[in-house]
Amino acid sequence: KELKAMIDNLAYGDTVITSGGIHGKITGLTDSVVTLEIADKVRIKVSRGAIASVVQKAGAPASKE
C-alpha cells in the first residue's frame, strides 16, 4: 500500500531512484510513464512501477547523505 501511495503521489521535480538503480529528476508524468532527467539534457522514460523510492520531494530541502 505504501508503494502504491508513493507512486500515485509522484510530482514534477521529485528526485527518485528506479528499481534498476538509476537516479533522476522527474520532468514528465503520464498515467503509466515517468520521464527522468539523469544528466544535463539526457532524459529517459520508465514505467511508473519501476520507481523504487523518492529521494527528495520537489521543493523540499536536500537531505544530507
Side-chain angles (χ1 to χ4, degrees):
K1 290 180 182 181
E2 291 178 24
L3 181 61
K4 182 178 179 345
M6 184 265 306
I7 289 172
D8 289 343
N9 291 315
L10 293 173
Y12 291 94
D14 287 355
T15 302
V16 298
I17 301 174
T18 69
S19 55
I22 297 170
H23 294 238
K25 182 181 275 190
I26 296 176
T27 59
L29 285 168
T30 68
D31 288 341
S32 60
V33 176
V34 177
T35 303
L36 298 178
E37 184 169 33
I38 57 173
D40 271 347
K41 299 180 184 177
V42 179
R43 296 183 177 173
I44 60 172
K45 292 184 179 189
V46 298
S47 167
R48 268 189 185 250
I51 304 299
S53 65
V54 175
V55 176
Q56 181 181 350
K57 292 296 286 177
S63 61
K64 295 179 181 177
E65 292 184 12

